[in-house]
Amino acid sequence: PPDLVVLGVQEFVPLNAPSMLLSARAVCSEYERIVANHLRHLHGERYVAVHGADGGRGGERGPAQLVGLLLCIFVRESLAPSVRGVCSALVRTGLNGLTGNKGALAVRFELLGQPLCFITVHLPSGAASKEAKEARDGAMREVMASLSASFAAASPPRRAPHEHAACWVFGDLNYRLAVPNADARRLLGYGDLSALLAHDEL
């Protein structure tokens, strides 16, 4: 069985005005409970959710959540005593940082003494273009700078994401293949991944 299971979800709730104003804490906690039960069923082992004291939501314990972004982390119950220094942070990038429809969630902790960092992101969308790519690149730079500042301001201070033993960044990055859809499908059909990679914005 895996020692660690991490799930990052984007658009967990509809990205509309009511969702941006109301907490989905109960729904997120129920999702986390269902996943933990499913992991136990799959692997025959109990899993424990990893939470920061703030849960990414200013005082509430639970999975880290930012509007539609959700980050759930589980460790095998036997490893739970080895989890230390849990710290979560969120970054809003939607509408110039005013809303959380786009952004990032991060949770960092030590497991068996090794510092790990997990970041789930939802970057700006848009068709393949230089401007849209620059927007995604800029949002990612903003996310990493903001998380580094948040971790440095924690008590006690934490290292920047890229300074952990391992840091994973995943989610809806929205980078595109800068080729027409039909061409991308044709190249994929031929198994010509190198040609596709040559046009991959990421």
Side-chain angles (χ1 to χ4, degrees), residues 60-195:
E60 299 177 48
R61 287 185 63 83
Q65 186 224 350
L66 171 64
V67 187
L69 281 169
L70 180 67
L71 183 57
C72 297
I73 301 175
F74 304 88
V75 295
R76 286 169 63 178
E77 188 175 50
S78 60
L79 287 173
S82 302
V83 174
R84 298 272 189 273
V86 181
C87 181
S88 60
L90 57 83
V91 181
R92 292 178 176 87
T93 62
L95 295 178
N96 293 320
L98 297 176
T99 66
N101 63 315
K102 296 285 194 289
L105 285 172
V107 175
R108 61 85 52 208
F109 57 95
E110 289 102 38
L111 179 62
L112 297 170
Q114 293 299 309
L116 307 175
C117 183
F118 299 90
I119 305 168
T120 186
V121 298
H122 195 176
L123 299 181
S125 58
S129 70
K130 181 180 178 184
E131 294 77 16
K133 180 187 181 304
E134 287 173 356
R136 289 185 271 279
D137 291 347
M140 195 65 230
R141 282 191 296 272
E142 179 185 346
V143 161
M144 296 307 280
S146 183
L147 291 177
S148 295
S150 293
F151 287 164
S155 183
R158 308 297 184 183
R159 62 185 75 195
H162 66 279
E163 294 173 343
H164 286 67
C167 177
W168 289 266
V169 178
F170 51 96
D172 190 350
L173 304 179
N174 268 316
Y175 285 99
R176 312 297 190 188
L177 288 170
V179 293
N181 188 303
D183 292 348
R185 291 177 182 274
R186 180 178 47 78
L187 291 168
L188 189 59
Y190 294 148
D192 192 351
L193 300 183
S194 60

